[in-house]
Structures are given as structure tokens and as C-alpha cells.
Amino acid sequence: MKVMLLANEAPQDFALRDNKEKFDGYMGEWYAFGDSLTKEGIFLDGAALEPPASATVVSVRDGKRKVEDGPFPDAKEQLGGFFIIEAPNIDAAAQWAAKCPAAKKGFVDVRPVMEIEGEE
Amino acid sequence: MSGAWAIAEQTARESYGRLLAWLSARTGDVAAAEDALADAFRAALEHWPEKGAPKSPEAWIITTARRKLIDHARKQKTRSDAHSAVLLAAEEAESEANSESQFPDERLKLMLICAHPAIEPSVRTPLILQTVLGLDAARIASAFLISPKAMSARLVRAKRKIKEANIPFTAPSLDVLPERLSAVLDAIYAAFGTGWNDFDGAEDSAGGLTLEAIFLAKLLTTLSPDEAEAWGLLSLMLHAEARRNARRDDGAYVSLKDQDTRAWDKTLIAKAEEALAKAWRLDKPGRFQIEAAIQSAHAASRLQDRDVTEDVILLYQRLIELAPTLGAQTGFAAALSNGGRDEDALTLLDGINDHAVSSYQPYWAVRAHILGTLNRNEEARGAYERAIGLASDISVRAFLHHKKKAL
């Protein structure tokens, strides 16, 4: 099964991205995690996201488009990136999620990717 | 005619959990396995009375259910992987079912899945009751005091989670097995009732599925005989069950020290002791074994006229080290009070920092008793009122009223 790991980072982790001294160490953990997935041959896709403050929220109601600044509070865990991996089951996926750097202070959402016949 | 019905009924009663566990293990989809099994039993009730029951009813049911699963998989358009997996599994199912009527018992795996950390804790017990014992949602709902509709919806959601999250039907690795087994034990104990209390005026086991819980614990000791806590839980529940008839006299609540021991079920007590001895031999102590040992001490105090006060205090001390639950702390306070250490008992109760105290009936019954012993009658009356207000059993309320009046 394909599984998406949604890395929800804690505010203090997001803060490290702006910390000149700690930035390399912070990113290093992510690179190491990504490399371990690749080495295992289960990495399918992944990306880091700009912090929540960069978010713009778009919705359409009654045919009217609304574009707003993302109302994401700084005090909570927010989506900071994702990985899509190949895993035999939830237990295996959860083991990888536990190794994700976001799991230590934030949390990782483990979501099976919906499979639709005819798609690869 | 009626013979075929009886055989179908017997197969359902004795083999439902095993059949479902086996089918589920091969498809990873409990809900689909349930549907297929229900269809197979319906077909059995149609065919067997006419043509006679087959030589191996279980194999017949398995084969029929397998066909239903294939039909189901063919109709499933969204999951190509699941489709082929089910077909393969079904083929395997046929050959196994035909070659011998015995098939591997996968009920332990099924229980471990029901108590998987990805399953919401409050639905684990209902899920085990439904899948392993085949109880219907309405029966389970009545034991858990929620509407059948709500229970049904929660069970459906949980089964969907098993399938969509792909919770595996494999034995968990050794490092997580103890934790997973402990979740199964908690789920079984939850079926027994709200917890078993040995102190006066404390409510227990209202509406629990006690016999079902005992059956499941017994099953677990068979499937996982080296699990000391499974034996401990079985022993605890058997001790509690053995005294059931003596706990009420003409509907009135009777406290442990006044129970007529002739009404105790000695066979169950012997079985409880046997289970506890098996647990100790495994040399892996745990909370259920300690709780069973406390009940065993109480039984000995009455049957052998032994003073077990200090033993019980020590056991509660150990229990609190292992599992400092509200029930354990309340029980410890009751044990201290019983040993004449009411001041210590009150200090302990005052020190409990748990908001659940406000609605925990046994806490107030024990607190009232201790305050009464310390001649703090005004406060004792208040605590009795609170305990009475929280009690749902009319005989427990009457007992507490009586104690309040006697202050």
C-alpha cells in the first residue's frame, strides 16, 4: 500500500528554520530521514513546505471565490512537509513515521493513499 | 429438518469467532468477512434442512463464505489489489478447507487487531465481543449504555479503519506484544463490568457481560498460555463471579464480611485459585494477578477464618506501584481503614489528584465510612449523600442510607 506521512511540526521546530546556527542540524535530520527511505527503496515522493504563515486559503462558496491569508495559529503543530512511501501495512508505516523528525515534538499523520483501479 | 437447524446453530455458536478470524486473516477485511459468513449461514439454513447437514459443517460454511467473498471482490471496483488478493486467499481457503476440517485458530490475531493502538480505545471491547463472540450491536449497546444505532456506527467505523489503514493480521513483534496483549486484557476486563470492588457500599459490574468476559479470558489463556496476566484476569473474574449470588440477600446488598459463604460457588473459587497458581508459576507479576490475589485473600479470610488485613494492605501497596488507578487507590484506602489506619486512609484519599473522583461512586462510599470511623459525622453524612447520589443500584443506595442513619 501507498502511505502518506504528513509531518506536523511543532512551532519550535519551525523556528529552527530561521535559526542560522541550528538550521543545518535541523535540515540534516530531514535529509537523513529521506535518505533512509530511499535506501530502503520505499520512497515514492516527498516535499518540505514553507511555514504556515506562507499559506493562502482559497475557497468557493455559492460560486464566489474567496482568497484569504491562512488563519494558522503559531502556537500549534502545522503541516511542514510530507512523504509518500510504500509500506506493507499500518504497523510498518507507523514504524517509519516514528523515525520522522516531526514525531519528536509534533506528530505524524499516517494516511493510506486511496487506490483507484486503472491508475498506477 | 430440525436436526439441520440445530447443527447450523451449533456451528454458529461454537465456531463463529474461529470462522470469522480465519476469513478476516485472509482478506484483511473484517466487515466483508462478516457479511460473507452471515450469507453462508443463511444459505446453510436454506439448504441443510432439505439436503441434510454436511459431514463437516465448518468446511461447508468456509467454502460458501469464500464464494461470497469472491463475489464481493468482483463487485469491488475501487481496489485492484484487494481484488486479486481476495481471489488468491479464497483459492487457498478452498484447498485448506477441503483437505481437512481443522483450520488454524486465528482468534488471537483477531483480538490483537481489535485492540490495535490505531483503533479507538472505547470501541475495542465492543469490537472483540462482536467479532470473536458474534454478539450483535444491540446486545453490546445495552451493556455499554449507548444506543444500538450509535454502537453500530462505531463498530462499522472501526472495521473500516482495519481495512483502510491495513492493520496486519500477523503476530506483532515481540517488543510490542506485551503492550498489545495488555490492551486485549483491558478490553476483556471492560466487558466484565465497571470494575470489581471489594469494599462496602461500592457499586460494581452493573450490566457487564460477565460470562462473555470470562469466556474470552479463558480463550486467551488457551491461545496464549504463557501470558501470566491472562491467567490473573481469569482468576480475578472467577473470584468475583463465585460470590455473585451471595452479594444480595432478598435483593438487599450484603457486604463481604456478612456474606453467606454457603452461597459462594466453590467450584469457581477452585478454578480461580488454579488460574492464579498458573499465573504465579510464570513469574511475571502484573496488576490483574495482584487484584486476583486480593480476592483470593478475601476468600481465604472467610473460608479459612484467617486474618488477611495486613496481606491485603501489602497487596494494594504493590498494586498501586504497578497500576495507580483510582480504583486501586480507593481500595488501598479501604484496606488501610480496615486495618485501623483511618487517618492514613483519609490522607491517601485527600492526596488523590484526579478529577474523576467527583463522579467515582466507590471513592465516596469509602470516604464516608472512614470519616464515620473518625467520628467526623457531619462530613461523613455529606460523603454518604454523594455516594448515594452516584449509585445507580437501588440495593447499594439502601445499604448506604442505612449506614448514614447509623452514624
Side-chain angles (χ1 to χ4, degrees), chain A residues 1 88-91 112 115 117, chain B residues 77-78 81 116 164-166:
Chain A
M1 74 198 279
N89 55 50
I90 178 75
D91 285 351
E115 286 172 33
E117 201 176 25
Chain B
K77 292 271 185 238
T78 50
D81 286 357
H116 192 278
E164 288 180 350
N166 201 353

Side-chain angles (χ1 to χ4, degrees), chain B residues 200-265:
Chain B
D200 289 358
E203 274 196 315
D204 51 56
S205 296
L209 297 160
T210 54
L211 296 178
E212 285 83 355
I214 289 173
F215 177 89
L216 287 170
K218 241 183 233 162
L219 178 63
L220 200 58
T221 60
T222 314
L223 299 174
S224 189
D226 290 336
E227 179 58 25
E229 277 291 84
W231 290 105
L233 175 61
L234 177 62
S235 173
L236 170 64
M237 296 195 296
L238 288 172
H239 266 302
E241 189 62 22
R243 290 187 216 132
R244 184 165 302 277
N245 288 335
R247 298 173 67 80
R248 295 288 184 275
D249 182 20
D250 262 348
Y253 176 88
V254 187
S255 66
L256 179 64
K257 64 179 191 309
D258 296 323
Q259 283 171 24
D260 181 355
T261 54
R262 285 171 303 179
W264 286 4
D265 187 329

Side-chain angles (χ1 to χ4, degrees), chain B residues 294-367:
Chain B
I294 291 171
Q295 297 313 318
S296 169
H298 284 312
S301 81
R302 293 295 318 278
L303 293 174
Q304 295 155 27
D305 200 22
R306 254 174 50 200
D307 182 6
V308 298
T309 317
E310 288 308 312
D311 297 345
V312 170
I313 288 176
L314 286 173
L315 283 166
Y316 267 114
Q317 238 157 8
R318 185 88 180 85
L319 180 60
I320 284 179
E321 285 164 23
L322 286 167
T325 61
L326 187 49
Q329 296 187 78
T330 307
F332 188 27
L336 286 171
S337 160
N338 200 33
R341 293 163 58 183
D342 290 279
E343 292 285 358
D344 291 345
L346 193 62
T347 309
L348 175 77
L349 288 182
D350 285 338
I352 299 177
N353 185 16
D354 186 340
H355 66 273
V357 157
S358 61
S359 60
Y360 187 59
Q361 192 268 349
Y363 174 92
W364 295 100
V366 168
R367 188 179 180 85

Side-chain angles (χ1 to χ4, degrees), chain B residues 113-125:
Chain B
I113 285 215
C114 293
H116 192 278
I119 299 290
E120 195 229 323
S122 71
V123 78
R124 292 176 189 166
T125 305

Side-chain angles (χ1 to χ4, degrees), chain A residues 1 3 87-92 95 110 112-120, chain B residues 76-83 116 118 164-168 170 172-173 180:
Chain A
M1 74 198 279
V3 181
N89 55 50
I90 178 75
D91 285 351
Q95 262 176 20
V110 181
V113 175
M114 197 169 144
E115 286 172 33
I116 296 165
E117 201 176 25
E119 282 183 14
E120 254 321 294
Chain B
Q76 200 94 328
K77 292 271 185 238
T78 50
R79 294 174 163 259
S80 51
D81 286 357
H83 181 92
H116 192 278
E164 288 180 350
N166 201 353
I167 298 182
T170 47
S173 57
R180 297 280 301 279

Side-chain angles (χ1 to χ4, degrees), chain B residues 149-197:
Chain B
K149 209 177 140 192
M151 179 56 83
S152 212
R154 290 169 56 188
L155 286 164
V156 167
R157 210 181 306 136
K159 280 176 259 181
R160 228 182 124 166
K161 177 74 185 267
I162 293 174
K163 177 180 158 194
E164 288 180 350
N166 201 353
I167 298 182
F169 272 81
T170 47
S173 57
L174 282 176
D175 55 327
V176 294
L177 186 65
E179 181 197 328
R180 297 280 301 279
L181 272 169
S182 132
V184 172
L185 292 168
D186 286 345
I188 293 175
Y189 193 40
F192 191 70
T194 48
W196 185 260
N197 296 309

